[in-house]
Amino acid sequence: MPAKPHMKRAATRMWAGAAGLATVGALVAAMPADAHERGHGHHPKPDRTVDVQLLSFNDLHGNLEPPAGSAGAVTERQADGTTKSVPAGGIEYLATSLRTARKGHPYSITAAGGDMIGASPLLSGLFHDEPTIEALNKLKLDVTAVGNHEFDEGATELARMQNGGCHPTEGCYEKGKKFRGADFPYLAANVTNEKTGRPILKPYTVWEKNGVKIGFISVTLEGTPNVVTASGVKGLKFADEIETINKYAKELDRQGVKSIVALIHEGGMPSSNAYNDSCDSQGPGSGISGPIVDIAKGITPKVDALITGHTHQAYVCTIPDPAGNPRLVTSAASFGKLYTDTTLTYDRRTKDIVRTAPKSPKSPKPSTSLSFPSSPSSPKSANHIVSRDQAKAPDMTQLIARWGKLAAPIAGRPQGYISADINGRGSDALEQPLGDLIADAQLAGLSAPDKGGAQLALMNPGGIRSDLVYKASGSEGDGVVTYGEAFTVQPFTNMMNVVDLSGAQLLTALQQQVSGPNEASPKILQVSRGLTYTLDLTKSGAARVLVDSVKLNGVAIDPAKTYRVAMNEFLAGGGDGFPALVGTNKLVGASDLDVFDAYLASNSSASVPMAPPVGGRISVLK
């Protein structure tokens, strides 16, 4: 297939290494060989080794405008040991940061760890994330993994993101303009068609410039079906991350591609929340826990570095590979607030990355990113803040203005009023103020007999995507919650369900927050007013929930009694590891966003704004 004129670039190439891959529907057409050329006009030196710059980020989630409130800040360790919060993110600043970082690097690749789209603010989400794909094209992204949120609207819509074309029901958003799709390849080695068993997207791609070849293999988390609505993953199978990467690493190796990077949409939890704290201060991989640790330890040494995501955390770690050699594992938080700059030293003779044991610094430099100095040819990596005190990229400013004009009639509509910030995504508390507010809204909207007769409501914390911020984001005035801001908090538009659950099921569901697949990384449900209980974190597993403490309006939950419980359709389907929430006698109500907006409208005004909930529903023992 001939390359489209707008996709031609010089000097470097990316191509898929597997031919004849099956598709789901018309999933992914073959990308043109020269669709991802990234020339910078430099000629290689005849040295044996060459430094390849790998810039990476993850979990952008369509955040084109700077994220608001605490969700738009990173924690930075200072020289005196204290920390400060630094505002960060926004595609205008991310573009400037990456373009500045590329200067002086003739061999530079930009890769992403998944969740570029999905759960997006209204500026992107209202247009099915076409604005974000356009921005990433301008950013000259070379390759990305798929994340779980790339499947929010199903495989067919993901195919449209790759191949282009106007939305099947809403059509083209701009007169005379057809959405062209991504100039970069989406990779998904472990996502296959359930019927054929073949990958729905390219499993890997190879970047090449002047004889330097680096392969990229991508997987999303095997548990994607547990964190995406059933319709989004229908007909798809998600395989083990380690087995899949090892399989394709062997295939690349047979093709003579010895330098390999894995893009993995799964991650870990660092022991510190400061982006510039050392992850290896007590030894390689000592400062990180979670799924990525075992995954990293199982991936073949043929893979030279792991770019990860999903947990929205910041870390630059070295985790030993199966041969016992430290290997870089990185993540750049989320929402475009950080980017990672990794130097991979390529040996022209062996065609492999020179991988020596990185040395951890004795103490991180204040206000700077971590690096791991060793010999001149050692891999080095650092996370950098996408600060807002640098120049904005004009082309991104224009993009935001263009799409913002289309969204303005809807986005700026006032929905309610608040007296102070109500934190959700930016809150570190197990019971989030915004979580309380959303659960209360769902109970209020579905408690009437004809609306479902709900007695309590439960909200999954992962569905809360932002904060409600008191300071005005535009011209609406301080304290005004616009439709766009409410949409950013709950962008999925899940339909609300009310179901019958026995008291025993309800108690089991609360235990599933901290046991089974959620034991390592608890998912604490946000609960409506009237439901109270104690969580004892000194215990382990299901025992963390003190069953005798669980009460509804002061009355202990009766295991034999039936309760009407409101929740979004994702939770009602057992999502996020809550099979106990699959109930009976289901009534489908309005969308979660409509319920939330209605609650804001009826419970606040300019003269009497809504105050943050006081909390106290979940008592935590540590």
Coordinates of all heavy atoms in Angstrom, one line a residue, residues 387-419:
S387 N 7.0 20.7 33.1 CA 6.6 21.9 33.8 C 5.8 22.8 33.0 O 5.9 22.9 31.8 CB 7.9 22.6 34.3 OG 8.7 23.0 33.2
R388 N 5.1 23.7 33.7 CA 4.2 24.7 33.0 C 4.9 26.0 33.0 O 4.2 27.0 32.7 CB 2.9 24.7 33.7 CG 2.1 23.4 33.6 CD 0.8 23.5 34.3 NE 0.2 22.2 34.5 CZ -0.9 22.0 35.3 NH1 -1.5 23.0 35.9 NH2 -1.4 20.8 35.4
D389 N 6.2 26.1 33.3 CA 6.9 27.4 33.2 C 7.8 27.5 31.9 O 8.7 28.3 31.8 CB 7.7 27.6 34.5 CG 8.8 26.6 34.7 OD1 8.8 25.6 33.9 OD2 9.5 26.6 35.7
Q390 N 7.5 26.6 31.0 CA 8.2 26.6 29.7 C 7.2 27.1 28.6 O 6.0 27.2 28.9 CB 8.7 25.2 29.3 CG 7.6 24.2 29.3 CD 8.2 22.8 29.0 OE1 9.1 22.6 28.2 NE2 7.7 21.8 29.7
A391 N 7.7 27.4 27.5 CA 6.8 27.8 26.4 C 5.9 26.8 25.9 O 6.2 25.6 25.9 CB 7.7 28.3 25.2
K392 N 4.7 27.2 25.5 CA 3.7 26.3 25.0 C 4.0 26.0 23.5 O 4.5 26.9 22.8 CB 2.3 26.9 25.1 CG 1.8 27.1 26.5 CD 0.4 27.7 26.5 CE -0.1 28.0 27.9 NZ -1.5 28.5 27.9
A393 N 3.7 24.8 23.1 CA 3.9 24.5 21.7 C 2.7 25.1 20.9 O 1.6 24.7 21.1 CB 3.9 23.0 21.5
P394 N 3.0 26.0 20.0 CA 1.9 26.8 19.3 C 0.9 25.8 18.5 O -0.3 26.1 18.5 CB 2.7 27.7 18.3 CG 4.0 27.8 18.9 CD 4.3 26.5 19.6
D395 N 1.5 24.8 17.9 CA 0.5 23.9 17.2 C -0.4 23.2 18.1 O -1.6 22.9 17.7 CB 1.3 22.9 16.3 CG 2.3 22.0 17.1 OD1 2.7 22.4 18.3 OD2 2.6 20.9 16.7
M396 N 0.0 22.9 19.3 CA -0.9 22.3 20.3 C -1.9 23.3 20.8 O -3.1 22.9 21.1 CB -0.1 21.6 21.4 CG 0.8 20.5 21.0 SD -0.1 19.1 20.2 CE 1.3 18.0 19.8
T397 N -1.5 24.5 21.0 CA -2.4 25.6 21.4 C -3.5 25.7 20.4 O -4.7 25.9 20.7 CB -1.6 26.9 21.6 OG1 -0.6 26.7 22.6 CG2 -2.6 28.0 22.1
Q398 N -3.1 25.7 19.1 CA -4.1 25.8 18.1 C -5.1 24.7 18.0 O -6.3 24.8 17.8 CB -3.4 26.0 16.7 CG -2.6 27.3 16.6 CD -1.7 27.3 15.4 OE1 -1.6 26.4 14.6 NE2 -0.9 28.3 15.3
L399 N -4.5 23.5 18.3 CA -5.4 22.3 18.3 C -6.4 22.3 19.4 O -7.6 22.0 19.2 CB -4.5 21.0 18.4 CG -5.2 19.7 18.4 CD1 -4.2 18.6 17.9 CD2 -5.5 19.2 19.9
I400 N -6.0 22.7 20.6 CA -6.9 22.8 21.7 C -8.0 23.9 21.4 O -9.1 23.7 21.7 CB -6.1 23.1 23.0 CG1 -5.3 21.9 23.4 CG2 -7.0 23.6 24.1 CD1 -4.3 22.2 24.6
A401 N -7.6 25.0 20.9 CA -8.5 26.1 20.6 C -9.5 25.6 19.5 O -10.7 25.9 19.7 CB -7.8 27.3 20.1
R402 N -9.1 24.9 18.5 CA -10.0 24.4 17.5 C -11.0 23.5 18.0 O -12.2 23.6 17.7 CB -9.1 23.8 16.4 CG -9.9 23.7 15.0 CD -9.0 23.0 14.0 NE -9.1 21.6 13.9 CZ -8.1 20.7 14.2 NH1 -6.9 21.2 14.5 NH2 -8.3 19.4 14.1
W403 N -10.6 22.5 18.7 CA -11.5 21.5 19.3 C -12.4 22.1 20.4 O -13.5 21.8 20.6 CB -10.8 20.2 19.8 CG -10.3 19.4 18.6 CD1 -9.0 19.3 18.1 CD2 -11.1 18.5 17.8 NE1 -9.0 18.4 17.1 CE2 -10.2 17.9 16.9 CE3 -12.4 18.1 17.8 CZ2 -10.6 17.0 15.9 CZ3 -12.9 17.2 16.9 CH2 -12.0 16.6 15.9
G404 N -11.7 23.0 21.2 CA -12.4 23.7 22.3 C -13.6 24.5 21.8 O -14.6 24.6 22.4
K405 N -13.4 25.1 20.6 CA -14.5 25.9 20.0 C -15.7 25.0 19.7 O -16.9 25.4 19.9 CB -14.0 26.6 18.8 CG -15.0 27.6 18.2 CD -14.4 28.3 17.0 CE -15.5 29.3 16.4 NZ -14.9 30.0 15.2
L406 N -15.5 23.8 19.2 CA -16.5 22.8 18.9 C -17.2 22.3 20.2 O -18.4 22.1 20.2 CB -16.0 21.6 18.1 CG -15.5 21.9 16.7 CD1 -14.9 20.6 16.1 CD2 -16.6 22.4 15.8
A407 N -16.4 22.2 21.2 CA -17.0 21.7 22.5 C -17.6 22.7 23.4 O -18.5 22.4 24.2 CB -15.9 21.0 23.3
A408 N -17.3 24.0 23.2 CA -17.7 25.1 24.1 C -19.2 25.1 24.4 O -19.6 25.3 25.6 CB -17.2 26.4 23.5
P409 N -20.1 25.0 23.4 CA -21.5 25.1 23.8 C -22.0 24.1 24.8 O -22.9 24.3 25.6 CB -22.2 24.8 22.5 CG -21.2 25.2 21.4 CD -19.9 24.8 22.0
I410 N -21.3 22.9 24.9 CA -21.7 21.9 25.9 C -20.8 22.0 27.1 O -21.3 22.0 28.2 CB -21.5 20.5 25.2 CG1 -22.5 20.3 24.1 CG2 -21.7 19.4 26.3 CD1 -22.3 19.0 23.3
A411 N -19.5 22.2 26.9 CA -18.5 22.1 28.0 C -18.7 23.2 29.0 O -18.6 22.9 30.2 CB -17.1 22.2 27.4
G412 N -19.1 24.4 28.6 CA -19.2 25.5 29.5 C -20.5 25.6 30.3 O -20.6 26.6 31.1
R413 N -21.4 24.8 30.1 CA -22.7 24.9 30.7 C -22.6 24.6 32.2 O -22.1 23.6 32.6 CB -23.7 23.8 30.1 CG -25.1 24.0 30.5 CD -26.0 23.1 29.6 NE -25.7 21.7 29.9 CZ -25.6 20.7 29.0 NH1 -25.8 21.1 27.7 NH2 -25.4 19.5 29.3
P414 N -23.0 25.5 33.1 CA -22.9 25.3 34.5 C -23.8 24.2 35.0 O -25.0 24.0 34.5 CB -23.4 26.6 35.1 CG -23.3 27.6 34.0 CD -23.5 26.9 32.8
Q415 N -23.3 23.4 35.9 CA -24.1 22.2 36.4 C -24.3 22.4 37.9 O -25.3 21.8 38.4 CB -23.3 20.9 36.2 CG -23.2 20.5 34.7 CD -24.5 20.3 34.0 OE1 -24.7 20.8 32.9 NE2 -25.4 19.6 34.7
G416 N -23.4 23.0 38.6 CA -23.6 23.2 40.1 C -22.5 24.1 40.6 O -21.7 24.7 39.9
Y417 N -22.5 24.2 42.0 CA -21.6 25.1 42.6 C -20.9 24.4 43.8 O -21.6 23.7 44.6 CB -22.3 26.4 43.1 CG -23.0 27.1 41.9 CD1 -24.3 26.6 41.5 CD2 -22.4 28.1 41.3 CE1 -24.9 27.3 40.4 CE2 -23.1 28.7 40.2 CZ -24.3 28.3 39.8 OH -24.9 28.9 38.7
I418 N -19.7 24.7 44.1 CA -19.0 24.1 45.2 C -18.2 25.2 46.0 O -17.9 26.3 45.4 CB -17.9 23.0 44.8 CG1 -16.9 23.6 43.8 CG2 -18.7 21.8 44.2 CD1 -15.8 22.6 43.4
S419 N -18.0 25.0 47.3 CA -17.4 26.1 48.1 C -15.9 25.9 48.2 O -15.2 26.8 48.7 CB -18.0 26.1 49.5 OG -17.8 24.8 50.1

